[in-house]
Amino acid sequence: NFPTENCIVEEMMINNVRVICLKPRQALQNMPCFVWFHGGGMVFGNPDDSIPYVIDFVHRFQAVVFIPQYHLAPEHPYPAALEDGYETLTWISKHANALNIDPGKIIVSGGSAGGNLALAVALKARDEKGPQIAAILPLYPMLDAKERSFHMQFTSPAIWNNDKNRYSWNAYLGNMKIIPHYASPFYANVERLPPIYTFIGTHDLFYEEVCEFVDKLREAHIEVQLDIYKGCIHGFDLEDVPIAHEAKKRLLHVTAKLLNGHTSFGDLPD
């Protein structure tokens, strides 16, 4: 364990998955809970790197945050990461009372590949009548396993480009001939999902597929809000720049509305 400002960070094992848990120093009853999946294209990354980003959830909402270190491809291809995430979610839901967590305020979330897993876990929970999920926050998510002509304009090694994206999908899917919808949520049946908030930059390789996916959600009458940041690249919100601070402020504002029981985005200010 090591404390940070007004917050305790713990390391734990849930089944065979290492999980970082952040919680308020003064534990409350019925706290909201976030399950956060780190990014990294399914092939790199670790939960420790997400601590500076998600600690705002603890401070702002007096929430508990779990960040699983899901198994990475290519050594552990699909469905390893999904199974790790879903086992983490079901364990949290099962032990919600002991953890002082409100089981009706569990949000699944993550950026990039983590956004993929947040959606996949929510789809699996829906299909298996598993844990209740209050909302999904899949930020600039990695959705479509099929290469697009839109992807091909992204070539710079300084950003998430087409080569990196192709490698990640090949590593995650292994030798699969048919793409499972839990692996590539772009192709999933999205009916009966909880409210979803996401944002993306127009200069993100995932911009086209995210916009199309949001249209699909709206056609299925899912409550969804997409904020678009002009000129921004993949993962822009992780930088120490004004537009990143604006996006994070907006994310926290929308999340507060969701935790307060707003299931419609119609009354959110621009």
Side-chain angles (χ1 to χ4, degrees):
N1 298 9
F2 61 93
T4 106
E5 183 184 357
N6 300 319
C7 169
I8 295 175
V9 183
E10 299 177 332
E11 183 176 312
M12 60 194 299
M13 294 297 295
I14 297 178
N15 297 328
N16 69 332
V17 181
R18 174 179 175 260
V19 179
I20 297 293
C21 175
L22 297 84
K23 58 186 178 182
R25 192 177 294 278
Q26 299 294 328
L28 306 174
Q29 295 292 322
N30 296 318
M31 292 182 286
C33 172
F34 294 79
V35 183
W36 177 270
F37 299 99
H38 68 78
M42 306 293 185
V43 295
F44 68 91
N46 67 75
D48 305 76
D49 293 340
S50 295
I51 291 173
Y53 195 89
V54 304
I55 204 166
D56 286 339
F57 295 141
V58 182
H59 292 156
R60 175 74 179 267
F61 306 119
Q62 292 295 292
V64 184
V65 181
F66 294 88
I67 319 170
Q69 186 168 348
Y70 55 86
H71 287 81
L72 298 174
E75 292 81 7
H76 303 278
Y78 176 88
L82 171 61
E83 290 176 346
D84 290 344
Y86 192 70
E87 287 176 5
T88 301
L89 172 66
T90 54
W91 185 91
I92 293 166
S93 180
K94 181 179 179 181
H95 298 90
N97 288 339
L99 296 166
N100 296 320
I101 288 170
D102 183 342
K105 291 186 176 180
I106 297 175
I107 292 178
V108 292
S109 50
S112 192
N116 171 306
L117 290 171
L119 284 162
V121 163
L123 289 164
K124 188 173 174 68
R126 177 202 64 187
D127 294 344
E128 299 190 0
K129 296 181 171 56
Q132 178 184 353
I133 294 173
I136 315 171
L137 307 176
L139 311 181
Y140 41 89
M142 176 180 175
L143 295 175
D144 189 356
K146 296 179 182 178
E147 191 168 350
R148 295 165 166 250
S149 58
F150 182 83
H151 293 164
M152 295 177 189
Q153 65 186 291
F154 295 88
T155 59
S156 169
I159 62 173
W160 187 255
N161 60 39
N162 191 42
D163 288 344
K164 294 174 184 177
N165 196 54
R166 185 192 304 116
Y167 170 80
S168 291
W169 277 115
N170 288 341
Y172 188 47
L173 295 175
N175 296 319
M176 289 185 172
K177 303 299 183 187
I178 299 175
I179 301 172
H181 291 178
Y182 290 160
S184 184
F186 184 84
Y187 300 101
N189 176 343
V190 297
E191 294 178 355
R192 297 181 291 109
L193 285 176
I196 295 173
Y197 173 73
T198 185
F199 63 78
I200 195 164
T202 55
H203 288 41
D204 189 320
L205 178 142
F206 298 142
Y207 175 69
E208 182 182 71
E209 64 204 65
V210 166
C211 290
E212 291 177 8
F213 185 72
V214 167
D215 287 342
K216 180 177 177 178
L217 290 167
R218 288 174 175 148
E219 289 170 4
H221 305 291
I222 302 302
E223 284 294 336
V224 60
Q225 173 71 31
L226 167 65
D227 286 339
I228 295 172
Y229 292 88
K230 292 182 180 179
C232 290
I233 63 171
H234 190 69
F236 74 93
D237 60 317
L238 303 178
E239 303 298 326
D240 187 13
V241 294
I243 193 66
H245 302 158
E246 178 185 331
K248 187 64 175 294
K249 182 179 179 181
R250 172 71 170 172
L251 170 65
L252 294 173
H253 170 74
V254 174
T255 303
K257 293 282 189 180
L258 292 169
L259 287 173
N260 287 331
H262 290 246
T263 58
S264 172
F265 294 107
D267 60 348
L268 288 175
D270 294 331

